[in-house]
Amino acid sequence: MGDTAPGRTHHAVLPRTDDAATGPEHPATDPEGATPGDLRTAAVAVRSKKRVLAASFVGTTIEWYDFYLYGAAAALVFNHYFFPQGSGVGAVIASFATFAIAFFFRPLGGIIAGHLGDRIGRKALLVASLLAMGLATTLIGLLPGFDRIGWAAVVLLVACRILQGLSAGMEWGGSAVLSVEHAPAGMRGLFGSFTQVGSAAGMLLSTAFFAGMQAVTTPGQFQAWGWRVPFVFSAVLVVIGLVIRAGVSDADEFREVKAENNQALSPVREVLTRYPRGVIVCIGQRMVQPAIFSILTVYTLTYVTQHRGQSQWVIVSILIAAGVGIVGGPFWGWLSDRVGRRRISVVSAALIGVFVWPYFLFLDRGPLALLPLVYLLGLAVLHDSIYGPQAALFAEQFPVHLRYSGVSLGYQVGTILSGGLTPMIAAWLVATGGGTPWLLCGYLAVLAAVSVLTGRMARDSVADGARVVPTRLAAPLPA
């Protein structure tokens, strides 16, 4: 980097996103005049971009397959298998507490991975996160129950869940940063969405596997051993993910930072002192989005089973919405490259605050055969429109040398405050309300308001043009 004149601020201006932009993604010369060497170089670049997208998609699919599998098991199995001594409500809350504990360790995983990833590279940490998640999930599938080893079973379950939390904290930030940093000009939202789509694919795969095992086993067989099969199968998926990720390298912009020895000595401290606004934005955007996701994919299984005596339509609805989300995620990412990420996030967060009220009224009284349509609105539209562009939105709040730490810290702290606690808080609020969901709806509406307010604070390279994240040498925008 060149010298900076006193009092001057240099900003990392994104390449133009219109057709007139020039550069590696938009050659200024006639493509027909390209030499064979140029064509070979372009072909290699295209294959590299595709490999990055595949690595982001497959890796996060496997990570979230493992993570969501636990959520389904916590709702349907673990309250009986690991907590048989509790009351009905007590066992459910205890089971969801083990689900929530992983979220408390996700920031630690994000801090560790962010520190190392901003110093040595993104790829190495992503390989480590995949190995850790696969090991924890496979071990859960082999654990004996409370009736065999007593409280030792609970301790081992919690230990595995903590390892899952550390791994998930390492995974998302690295995958999001890697995909966004490899994106061509004007395609950050689209490229980043492939990390997000992995969440929908992982949920689809885990829910389908779980539902398939329920279909081919009797209730007794499923409770005894059928639930274990999807967990043990994780070992096979991890091998596939490692093979794909082995061929991916860090993006040029990070390699330049590393080559110039411009890594931060203490990335997390620098993020907190120089870019608190970015951290606040990321935390705030993680309020209502993971909360509504946890309600739709985890807590609703318990709520509908308790109030309507069945959960099949919930599982079917999750599968349909997740399938649509695999296509919808890239659409919302692409749209954010056109109209801006901030606008989409703010509008969708506000609508979620309204949606939750008729949603629970429908669960209490509506025909469950129409539940898939409700999930298409709540999950595939309102949730995915926030989640799809989120990788690009978060990455744009921080400069390259702090990006892994910044996005991981904001994302994971917000997830603790919202997604991880939501199923447990939901069970408690509904019980406190005498079995009615209206206290829970009010809680979700407050989270939506927080996301709206912090969303308006976000930097957006599409809406703001060249006013984007400053470089290392620049002073940060006011917090």
Side-chain angles (χ1 to χ4, degrees), residues 207-294:
T207 305
F209 208 151
F210 221 67
M213 291 306 301
Q214 284 182 306
V216 300
T217 60
T218 65
Q221 290 173 332
F222 181 78
Q223 292 288 331
W225 58 267
W227 66 269
R228 298 179 180 274
V229 177
F231 282 87
V232 176
F233 185 71
S234 173
V236 177
L237 297 178
V238 167
V239 173
I240 297 173
L242 289 174
V243 170
I244 294 174
R245 280 194 168 169
V248 174
S249 61
D250 289 321
D252 289 342
E253 60 179 319
F254 176 76
R255 290 206 299 266
E256 290 173 5
V257 168
K258 191 173 180 181
E260 296 173 4
N261 199 29
N262 277 327
Q263 303 101 310
L265 292 177
S266 181
V268 173
R269 183 175 63 186
E270 190 169 337
V271 163
L272 292 174
T273 56
R274 290 175 57 82
Y275 299 95
R277 167 175 160 175
V279 176
I280 292 172
V281 167
C282 293
I283 291 174
Q285 291 303 287
R286 294 295 294 167
M287 289 293 100
V288 77
Q289 174 260 310
I292 192 62
F293 187 87
S294 293

Coordinates of all heavy atoms in Angstrom, one line a residue, residues 207-294:
T207 N -33.9 -33.0 7.5 CA -35.3 -33.2 7.8 C -35.8 -34.4 6.9 O -36.5 -35.2 7.4 CB -36.1 -31.9 7.4 OG1 -35.6 -30.8 8.1 CG2 -37.6 -32.1 7.8
A208 N -35.3 -34.5 5.7 CA -35.7 -35.6 4.8 C -35.2 -36.9 5.4 O -36.0 -37.9 5.4 CB -35.2 -35.4 3.4
F209 N -34.0 -36.9 5.8 CA -33.4 -38.1 6.4 C -34.2 -38.5 7.6 O -34.5 -39.7 7.8 CB -31.9 -37.9 6.7 CG -31.1 -39.2 6.6 CD1 -29.7 -39.1 6.3 CD2 -31.6 -40.4 6.9 CE1 -28.9 -40.2 6.3 CE2 -30.8 -41.6 6.9 CZ -29.5 -41.4 6.5
F210 N -34.4 -37.6 8.5 CA -35.2 -37.8 9.7 C -36.6 -38.4 9.5 O -37.0 -39.4 10.0 CB -35.2 -36.6 10.6 CG -35.0 -36.8 12.0 CD1 -33.8 -37.2 12.5 CD2 -36.1 -36.6 13.0 CE1 -33.6 -37.4 13.9 CE2 -35.9 -36.8 14.3 CZ -34.6 -37.2 14.8
A211 N -37.3 -37.7 8.5 CA -38.6 -38.1 8.2 C -38.6 -39.5 7.5 O -39.5 -40.3 7.7 CB -39.2 -37.1 7.2
G212 N -37.6 -39.8 6.7 CA -37.4 -41.1 6.0 C -37.3 -42.2 7.1 O -37.9 -43.3 6.9
M213 N -36.5 -41.9 8.1 CA -36.3 -43.0 9.1 C -37.6 -43.2 9.9 O -37.9 -44.3 10.3 CB -35.1 -42.5 10.1 CG -33.7 -42.6 9.4 SD -33.3 -44.2 8.6 CE -33.5 -45.3 10.1
Q214 N -38.3 -42.1 10.1 CA -39.6 -42.2 10.8 C -40.6 -43.1 9.9 O -41.3 -43.9 10.5 CB -40.2 -40.9 11.1 CG -39.6 -40.1 12.2 CD -40.3 -38.8 12.5 OE1 -40.4 -38.0 11.6 NE2 -40.7 -38.6 13.7
A215 N -40.5 -42.9 8.6 CA -41.4 -43.6 7.7 C -41.1 -45.1 7.6 O -42.0 -46.0 7.5 CB -41.3 -43.0 6.3
V216 N -39.8 -45.5 7.7 CA -39.4 -46.9 7.5 C -39.3 -47.7 8.8 O -39.0 -48.9 8.8 CB -38.1 -47.0 6.7 CG1 -38.3 -46.4 5.3 CG2 -36.9 -46.4 7.5
T217 N -39.5 -47.0 10.0 CA -39.4 -47.7 11.3 C -40.7 -47.5 12.0 O -41.4 -46.6 11.8 CB -38.2 -47.2 12.1 OG1 -38.4 -45.7 12.3 CG2 -36.9 -47.4 11.4
T218 N -40.9 -48.4 13.0 CA -42.1 -48.2 13.9 C -41.7 -47.1 14.9 O -40.5 -46.8 15.1 CB -42.4 -49.5 14.7 OG1 -41.3 -49.8 15.5 CG2 -42.7 -50.6 13.7
P219 N -42.6 -46.5 15.6 CA -42.3 -45.5 16.6 C -41.3 -46.0 17.7 O -40.4 -45.3 18.1 CB -43.6 -45.1 17.3 CG -44.6 -45.4 16.2 CD -44.1 -46.6 15.4
G220 N -41.5 -47.3 18.1 CA -40.5 -47.8 19.0 C -39.1 -48.0 18.5 O -38.1 -47.7 19.1
Q221 N -39.1 -48.5 17.2 CA -37.7 -48.6 16.6 C -37.1 -47.3 16.4 O -35.8 -47.2 16.5 CB -37.9 -49.4 15.2 CG -38.3 -50.8 15.3 CD -38.6 -51.4 14.0 OE1 -39.1 -50.7 13.1 NE2 -38.4 -52.7 13.9
F222 N -37.8 -46.3 16.0 CA -37.3 -45.0 15.8 C -36.7 -44.4 17.1 O -35.6 -43.9 17.1 CB -38.3 -44.0 15.2 CG -37.8 -42.6 14.9 CD1 -37.0 -42.4 13.8 CD2 -38.0 -41.6 15.8 CE1 -36.5 -41.1 13.5 CE2 -37.5 -40.3 15.5 CZ -36.7 -40.1 14.4
Q223 N -37.4 -44.5 18.2 CA -36.9 -44.0 19.4 C -35.7 -44.8 19.9 O -34.8 -44.3 20.6 CB -38.0 -44.1 20.5 CG -39.2 -43.1 20.3 CD -38.8 -41.7 20.5 OE1 -37.9 -41.4 21.3 NE2 -39.4 -40.7 19.8
A224 N -35.6 -46.1 19.6 CA -34.6 -47.0 20.1 C -33.3 -46.8 19.3 O -32.2 -46.6 19.8 CB -35.0 -48.4 20.0
W225 N -33.4 -46.8 17.9 CA -32.2 -46.7 17.1 C -32.3 -46.0 15.8 O -31.3 -45.5 15.2 CB -31.7 -48.1 16.8 CG -32.7 -49.0 16.0 CD1 -33.6 -49.9 16.6 CD2 -32.9 -49.0 14.6 NE1 -34.3 -50.5 15.6 CE2 -33.9 -50.0 14.4 CE3 -32.3 -48.4 13.5 CZ2 -34.4 -50.3 13.1 CZ3 -32.8 -48.7 12.2 CH2 -33.8 -49.6 12.1
G226 N -33.5 -45.8 15.3 CA -33.7 -45.1 14.0 C -33.2 -43.7 13.9 O -32.7 -43.3 12.9
W227 N -33.3 -43.0 15.0 CA -32.8 -41.6 15.0 C -31.3 -41.5 14.9 O -30.8 -40.5 14.5 CB -33.3 -40.9 16.3 CG -32.7 -41.4 17.6 CD1 -33.2 -42.4 18.4 CD2 -31.4 -41.0 18.2 NE1 -32.3 -42.6 19.5 CE2 -31.3 -41.8 19.4 CE3 -30.5 -40.1 17.9 CZ2 -30.2 -41.6 20.2 CZ3 -29.3 -39.9 18.7 CH2 -29.2 -40.7 19.8
R228 N -30.6 -42.6 15.2 CA -29.1 -42.6 15.2 C -28.6 -42.6 13.8 O -27.5 -42.1 13.6 CB -28.6 -43.8 16.0 CG -29.0 -43.9 17.5 CD -28.4 -45.1 18.1 NE -28.7 -45.3 19.5 CZ -28.0 -44.7 20.5 NH1 -26.9 -44.0 20.2 NH2 -28.4 -44.8 21.7
V229 N -29.3 -43.2 12.9 CA -28.7 -43.4 11.5 C -28.3 -42.1 10.9 O -27.2 -42.0 10.3 CB -29.7 -44.2 10.7 CG1 -29.2 -44.4 9.2 CG2 -30.0 -45.6 11.3
P230 N -29.2 -41.1 10.9 CA -28.7 -39.8 10.2 C -27.5 -39.2 10.9 O -26.7 -38.5 10.2 CB -30.0 -38.9 10.4 CG -31.1 -39.8 10.6 CD -30.6 -41.0 11.3
F231 N -27.4 -39.4 12.2 CA -26.2 -38.8 12.8 C -24.9 -39.5 12.4 O -23.9 -38.9 12.1 CB -26.4 -38.9 14.4 CG -27.3 -37.9 15.0 CD1 -28.6 -38.1 15.0 CD2 -26.8 -36.7 15.5 CE1 -29.5 -37.1 15.6 CE2 -27.6 -35.7 16.0 CZ -29.0 -35.9 16.1
V232 N -24.9 -40.8 12.4 CA -23.7 -41.6 12.0 C -23.4 -41.3 10.5 O -22.2 -41.3 10.2 CB -23.9 -43.1 12.3 CG1 -22.7 -43.9 11.8 CG2 -24.2 -43.3 13.8
F233 N -24.4 -41.1 9.7 CA -24.2 -40.9 8.3 C -23.3 -39.6 8.0 O -22.8 -39.5 7.0 CB -25.5 -40.8 7.5 CG -25.4 -40.7 6.0 CD1 -25.0 -41.8 5.3 CD2 -25.7 -39.5 5.4 CE1 -24.8 -41.6 3.9 CE2 -25.6 -39.4 4.0 CZ -25.1 -40.4 3.3
S234 N -23.3 -38.8 9.0 CA -22.5 -37.5 8.9 C -21.1 -37.8 8.5 O -20.4 -37.0 7.8 CB -22.6 -36.7 10.2 OG -21.7 -35.6 10.1
A235 N -20.5 -38.9 9.0 CA -19.1 -39.2 8.7 C -18.8 -39.3 7.2 O -17.8 -38.9 6.7 CB -18.7 -40.5 9.4
V236 N -19.8 -39.9 6.4 CA -19.7 -40.0 5.0 C -19.7 -38.6 4.3 O -18.9 -38.4 3.4 CB -20.8 -40.9 4.4 CG1 -20.7 -41.0 2.9 CG2 -20.8 -42.3 5.0
L237 N -20.6 -37.8 4.8 CA -20.7 -36.5 4.2 C -19.5 -35.6 4.4 O -19.1 -34.8 3.5 CB -21.9 -35.7 4.8 CG -23.3 -36.4 4.5 CD1 -24.4 -35.6 5.2 CD2 -23.6 -36.5 3.0
V238 N -18.8 -35.8 5.6 CA -17.6 -35.0 5.9 C -16.5 -35.3 4.9 O -15.8 -34.4 4.4 CB -17.2 -35.2 7.3 CG1 -15.8 -34.7 7.5 CG2 -18.2 -34.6 8.3
V239 N -16.4 -36.6 4.6 CA -15.4 -37.0 3.6 C -15.6 -36.3 2.2 O -14.7 -35.8 1.6 CB -15.3 -38.5 3.4 CG1 -14.4 -38.9 2.3 CG2 -14.9 -39.2 4.7
I240 N -16.8 -36.3 1.8 CA -17.2 -35.6 0.5 C -16.8 -34.1 0.6 O -16.2 -33.5 -0.3 CB -18.7 -35.8 0.2 CG1 -19.0 -37.2 0.0 CG2 -19.1 -35.0 -1.0 CD1 -20.5 -37.5 -0.1
G241 N -17.2 -33.5 1.7 CA -16.9 -32.0 1.9 C -15.4 -31.7 1.9 O -15.0 -30.7 1.3
L242 N -14.6 -32.6 2.5 CA -13.2 -32.4 2.6 C -12.5 -32.5 1.2 O -11.6 -31.7 0.9 CB -12.5 -33.4 3.5 CG -12.8 -33.2 5.0 CD1 -12.2 -34.3 5.8 CD2 -12.3 -31.8 5.5
V243 N -13.0 -33.4 0.4 CA -12.5 -33.6 -1.0 C -12.7 -32.3 -1.8 O -11.8 -31.8 -2.5 CB -13.1 -34.8 -1.6 CG1 -12.7 -34.8 -3.1 CG2 -12.6 -36.1 -1.0
I244 N -13.9 -31.7 -1.7 CA -14.2 -30.5 -2.5 C -13.5 -29.3 -2.0 O -12.9 -28.6 -2.8 CB -15.8 -30.3 -2.4 CG1 -16.5 -31.4 -3.1 CG2 -16.1 -28.9 -3.0 CD1 -18.0 -31.3 -3.0
R245 N -13.4 -29.1 -0.7 CA -12.7 -28.0 -0.1 C -11.2 -28.0 -0.3 O -10.5 -27.0 -0.3 CB -13.0 -27.8 1.4 CG -14.4 -27.2 1.6 CD -14.6 -26.7 3.0 NE -15.8 -25.9 3.1 CZ -16.4 -25.5 4.2 NH1 -15.9 -25.9 5.3 NH2 -17.5 -24.8 4.1
A246 N -10.6 -29.2 -0.5 CA -9.2 -29.3 -0.7 C -8.7 -28.5 -1.9 O -7.5 -28.1 -1.9 CB -8.8 -30.7 -0.8
G247 N -9.5 -28.3 -2.9 CA -9.1 -27.6 -4.1 C -9.4 -26.2 -4.2 O -9.3 -25.5 -5.2
V248 N -9.7 -25.5 -3.0 CA -10.1 -24.1 -3.0 C -8.9 -23.3 -2.3 O -8.3 -23.8 -1.3 CB -11.4 -23.9 -2.2 CG1 -11.7 -22.4 -2.1 CG2 -12.5 -24.6 -3.0
S249 N -8.6 -22.2 -2.8 CA -7.6 -21.3 -2.2 C -8.2 -20.0 -1.8 O -9.4 -19.7 -2.1 CB -6.5 -21.0 -3.3 OG -7.0 -20.3 -4.4
D250 N -7.5 -19.3 -1.0 CA -7.9 -17.9 -0.5 C -8.0 -17.0 -1.7 O -7.3 -17.1 -2.7 CB -7.0 -17.4 0.5 CG -7.1 -18.1 1.9 OD1 -8.2 -18.5 2.2 OD2 -6.1 -18.4 2.5
A251 N -8.8 -16.0 -1.6 CA -9.0 -15.0 -2.6 C -7.8 -14.1 -2.8 O -7.0 -13.9 -1.8 CB -10.3 -14.2 -2.4
D252 N -7.7 -13.4 -3.9 CA -6.5 -12.6 -4.2 C -6.4 -11.4 -3.2 O -5.3 -11.1 -2.8 CB -6.6 -12.0 -5.6 CG -6.4 -13.1 -6.7 OD1 -5.8 -14.1 -6.3 OD2 -6.8 -12.9 -7.9
E253 N -7.6 -10.8 -2.9 CA -7.5 -9.6 -2.0 C -7.0 -10.0 -0.6 O -6.2 -9.2 0.0 CB -8.8 -8.9 -1.9 CG -10.0 -9.7 -1.4 CD -11.3 -8.9 -1.3 OE1 -11.2 -7.7 -0.9 OE2 -12.3 -9.4 -1.6
F254 N -7.3 -11.2 -0.1 CA -6.7 -11.6 1.1 C -5.2 -11.9 1.0 O -4.3 -11.6 1.8 CB -7.4 -12.7 1.8 CG -6.7 -13.2 3.1 CD1 -6.9 -12.5 4.2 CD2 -6.0 -14.3 3.1 CE1 -6.2 -12.9 5.4 CE2 -5.3 -14.8 4.2 CZ -5.5 -14.0 5.4
R255 N -4.8 -12.6 -0.1 CA -3.4 -13.0 -0.3 C -2.6 -11.7 -0.5 O -1.4 -11.7 0.0 CB -3.3 -13.9 -1.6 CG -3.9 -15.3 -1.4 CD -3.3 -16.3 -2.3 NE -3.5 -15.9 -3.7 CZ -4.5 -16.4 -4.5 NH1 -5.3 -17.2 -3.9 NH2 -4.6 -16.1 -5.8
E256 N -3.1 -10.7 -1.0 CA -2.4 -9.4 -1.1 C -2.1 -8.8 0.3 O -1.0 -8.3 0.6 CB -3.2 -8.4 -1.9 CG -3.2 -8.7 -3.4 CD -4.1 -7.8 -4.2 OE1 -4.6 -6.9 -3.6 OE2 -4.3 -8.1 -5.4
V257 N -3.1 -8.9 1.2 CA -3.0 -8.4 2.5 C -1.9 -9.2 3.2 O -1.0 -8.7 3.9 CB -4.3 -8.5 3.3 CG1 -4.1 -8.3 4.8 CG2 -5.3 -7.5 2.8
K258 N -1.9 -10.5 3.0 CA -0.9 -11.4 3.7 C 0.5 -11.2 3.1 O 1.5 -11.1 3.8 CB -1.3 -12.9 3.5 CG -0.6 -13.9 4.3 CD -1.2 -15.2 4.2 CE -0.4 -16.2 5.1 NZ -0.9 -17.6 5.0
A259 N 0.6 -11.0 1.8 CA 1.9 -10.8 1.1 C 2.5 -9.5 1.6 O 3.7 -9.4 1.7 CB 1.7 -10.8 -0.4
E260 N 1.7 -8.5 1.9 CA 2.2 -7.2 2.3 C 2.3 -7.1 3.9 O 2.7 -6.1 4.4 CB 1.3 -6.1 1.9 CG 1.2 -5.9 0.3 CD 0.2 -4.9 -0.1 OE1 -0.5 -4.3 0.7 OE2 0.0 -4.8 -1.4
N261 N 2.1 -8.3 4.5 CA 2.2 -8.4 6.0 C 1.3 -7.3 6.7 O 1.7 -6.7 7.7 CB 3.6 -8.2 6.4 CG 3.9 -8.7 7.8 OD1 3.2 -9.7 8.2 ND2 4.8 -8.2 8.5
N262 N 0.1 -7.2 6.2 CA -0.9 -6.2 6.7 C -1.9 -6.8 7.6 O -3.0 -6.2 7.9 CB -1.5 -5.4 5.6 CG -0.7 -4.3 5.1 OD1 0.1 -3.7 5.8 ND2 -0.8 -4.0 3.8
Q263 N -1.7 -8.1 8.1 CA -2.7 -8.7 9.0 C -2.7 -7.9 10.3 O -1.7 -7.4 10.8 CB -2.4 -10.1 9.2 CG -2.3 -11.0 8.0 CD -0.8 -11.2 7.6 OE1 -0.1 -10.3 7.5 NE2 -0.5 -12.5 7.3
A264 N -3.8 -7.9 10.9 CA -4.0 -7.3 12.3 C -3.4 -8.2 13.3 O -3.5 -9.4 13.2 CB -5.4 -7.0 12.6
L265 N -2.7 -7.6 14.3 CA -2.1 -8.5 15.4 C -3.2 -9.0 16.3 O -3.1 -10.1 16.8 CB -1.1 -7.6 16.2 CG 0.2 -7.2 15.5 CD1 1.0 -6.3 16.4 CD2 0.9 -8.4 15.0
S266 N -4.2 -8.2 16.5 CA -5.4 -8.6 17.3 C -6.7 -8.3 16.6 O -7.3 -7.2 16.9 CB -5.3 -8.0 18.7 OG -6.4 -8.4 19.5
P267 N -7.1 -9.1 15.7 CA -8.3 -8.7 14.8 C -9.5 -8.4 15.6 O -10.2 -7.4 15.3 CB -8.5 -9.9 13.9 CG -7.1 -10.6 13.9 CD -6.6 -10.4 15.3
V268 N -9.9 -9.2 16.6 CA -11.1 -9.0 17.3 C -11.1 -7.6 18.1 O -12.0 -6.8 18.1 CB -11.4 -10.1 18.3 CG1 -12.6 -9.8 19.2 CG2 -11.6 -11.4 17.6
R269 N -10.0 -7.3 18.7 CA -9.9 -6.0 19.5 C -10.0 -4.9 18.5 O -10.6 -3.9 18.8 CB -8.5 -6.0 20.2 CG -8.4 -4.7 21.0 CD -7.1 -4.7 21.9 NE -5.9 -4.8 21.0 CZ -4.7 -5.0 21.5 NH1 -4.5 -5.1 22.8 NH2 -3.6 -5.0 20.6
E270 N -9.3 -5.0 17.3 CA -9.4 -3.9 16.3 C -10.8 -3.7 15.8 O -11.3 -2.6 15.6 CB -8.4 -4.2 15.2 CG -8.2 -3.0 14.3 CD -7.1 -3.1 13.3 OE1 -6.1 -3.9 13.6 OE2 -7.1 -2.4 12.3
V271 N -11.5 -4.8 15.6 CA -12.9 -4.8 15.2 C -13.7 -4.0 16.2 O -14.5 -3.1 15.8 CB -13.5 -6.2 14.9 CG1 -15.0 -6.2 14.9 CG2 -12.9 -6.8 13.6
L272 N -13.6 -4.4 17.5 CA -14.4 -3.7 18.5 C -14.1 -2.3 18.7 O -15.0 -1.5 19.1 CB -14.2 -4.5 19.8 CG -14.8 -5.9 19.8 CD1 -14.5 -6.7 21.1 CD2 -16.3 -5.9 19.6
T273 N -12.8 -1.9 18.5 CA -12.5 -0.5 18.8 C -12.6 0.4 17.6 O -12.9 1.6 17.7 CB -11.0 -0.4 19.3 OG1 -10.1 -1.1 18.3 CG2 -10.9 -1.1 20.6
R274 N -12.5 -0.1 16.4 CA -12.5 0.7 15.2 C -13.8 0.5 14.4 O -14.2 1.4 13.6 CB -11.3 0.4 14.3 CG -10.0 0.8 14.8 CD -8.8 0.4 14.0 NE -8.9 0.8 12.6 CZ -8.6 2.0 12.1 NH1 -8.1 2.9 13.0 NH2 -8.7 2.3 10.9
Y275 N -14.5 -0.6 14.5 CA -15.7 -0.8 13.7 C -16.9 -1.3 14.5 O -17.5 -2.3 14.2 CB -15.4 -1.8 12.6 CG -14.3 -1.3 11.7 CD1 -13.0 -1.6 11.8 CD2 -14.6 -0.4 10.6 CE1 -12.0 -1.1 11.0 CE2 -13.6 0.1 9.8 CZ -12.3 -0.3 10.0 OH -11.4 0.2 9.2
P276 N -17.2 -0.7 15.7 CA -18.3 -1.1 16.5 C -19.6 -1.0 15.8 O -20.5 -1.8 16.0 CB -18.2 -0.1 17.7 CG -17.5 1.1 17.2 CD -16.5 0.6 16.2
R277 N -19.7 -0.1 14.9 CA -21.0 0.1 14.1 C -21.3 -1.2 13.3 O -22.4 -1.7 13.3 CB -20.9 1.3 13.2 CG -22.0 1.4 12.2 CD -21.9 2.7 11.4 NE -22.6 2.6 10.1 CZ -22.8 3.7 9.3 NH1 -22.3 4.8 9.7 NH2 -23.4 3.6 8.2
G278 N -20.2 -1.7 12.7 CA -20.4 -2.9 11.9 C -20.8 -4.1 12.8 O -21.7 -4.9 12.4
V279 N -20.2 -4.2 14.0 CA -20.6 -5.3 14.9 C -22.1 -5.2 15.3 O -22.8 -6.1 15.3 CB -19.7 -5.3 16.1 CG1 -20.2 -6.4 17.1 CG2 -18.3 -5.6 15.7
I280 N -22.5 -3.9 15.6 CA -23.9 -3.7 16.0 C -24.9 -4.0 14.9 O -25.9 -4.6 15.1 CB -24.1 -2.2 16.5 CG1 -23.3 -1.9 17.8 CG2 -25.5 -1.9 16.6 CD1 -23.2 -0.5 18.2
V281 N -24.5 -3.7 13.7 CA -25.4 -4.0 12.5 C -25.5 -5.5 12.4 O -26.6 -6.0 12.2 CB -24.8 -3.4 11.2 CG1 -25.5 -4.0 10.0 CG2 -24.9 -1.9 11.2
C282 N -24.4 -6.2 12.5 CA -24.5 -7.7 12.3 C -25.3 -8.3 13.4 O -26.1 -9.2 13.2 CB -23.1 -8.2 12.2 SG -22.1 -7.8 10.8
I283 N -25.1 -7.9 14.6 CA -25.8 -8.5 15.8 C -27.3 -8.2 15.6 O -28.2 -9.1 15.8 CB -25.3 -7.9 17.1 CG1 -23.9 -8.4 17.4 CG2 -26.3 -8.3 18.2 CD1 -23.3 -7.8 18.6
G284 N -27.6 -6.9 15.2 CA -29.0 -6.6 15.1 C -29.7 -7.3 14.0 O -30.9 -7.7 14.1
Q285 N -29.0 -7.6 12.9 CA -29.6 -8.3 11.8 C -29.8 -9.8 12.1 O -30.5 -10.5 11.4 CB -28.7 -8.2 10.5 CG -28.7 -6.8 9.9 CD -30.1 -6.4 9.5 OE1 -30.7 -6.8 8.6 NE2 -30.7 -5.4 10.3
R286 N -29.1 -10.2 13.2 CA -29.2 -11.6 13.7 C -30.3 -11.7 14.8 O -30.3 -12.7 15.5 CB -27.9 -12.1 14.2 CG -26.8 -12.3 13.1 CD -27.2 -13.3 12.1 NE -27.2 -14.7 12.7 CZ -27.8 -15.7 12.1 NH1 -28.3 -15.6 10.9 NH2 -27.8 -16.9 12.6
M287 N -31.2 -10.8 14.9 CA -32.2 -10.9 15.9 C -33.4 -11.6 15.4 O -33.7 -12.7 15.8 CB -32.6 -9.5 16.4 CG -31.6 -8.7 17.2 SD -31.3 -9.5 18.9 CE -29.8 -10.4 18.5
V288 N -34.1 -11.0 14.5 CA -35.4 -11.7 14.1 C -35.2 -12.8 13.1 O -36.0 -13.8 13.1 CB -36.4 -10.6 13.5 CG1 -36.0 -10.2 12.1 CG2 -37.8 -11.1 13.6
Q289 N -34.2 -12.8 12.2 CA -34.0 -13.8 11.2 C -33.8 -15.2 11.8 O -34.5 -16.1 11.5 CB -32.9 -13.4 10.2 CG -32.5 -14.4 9.2 CD -31.3 -15.2 9.6 OE1 -30.3 -14.6 10.0 NE2 -31.4 -16.5 9.6
P290 N -32.8 -15.4 12.7 CA -32.6 -16.7 13.2 C -33.8 -17.1 14.2 O -34.1 -18.3 14.4 CB -31.3 -16.7 14.0 CG -31.0 -15.3 14.2 CD -31.7 -14.5 13.1
A291 N -34.4 -16.1 14.8 CA -35.5 -16.4 15.7 C -36.7 -17.0 15.0 O -37.3 -18.0 15.4 CB -35.9 -15.1 16.4
I292 N -37.1 -16.3 13.9 CA -38.2 -16.9 13.1 C -37.9 -18.2 12.5 O -38.7 -19.1 12.4 CB -38.7 -15.9 12.0 CG1 -40.0 -16.3 11.4 CG2 -37.7 -15.8 10.9 CD1 -41.2 -16.4 12.4
F293 N -36.6 -18.4 12.1 CA -36.1 -19.7 11.6 C -36.3 -20.8 12.7 O -36.8 -21.9 12.4 CB -34.7 -19.6 11.1 CG -34.2 -20.8 10.4 CD1 -34.4 -21.0 9.1 CD2 -33.6 -21.8 11.1 CE1 -34.0 -22.2 8.4 CE2 -33.1 -23.0 10.5 CZ -33.3 -23.1 9.1
S294 N -35.8 -20.5 13.9 CA -35.9 -21.5 15.0 C -37.4 -21.8 15.3 O -37.8 -22.9 15.6 CB -35.2 -21.0 16.3 OG -33.8 -20.9 16.0

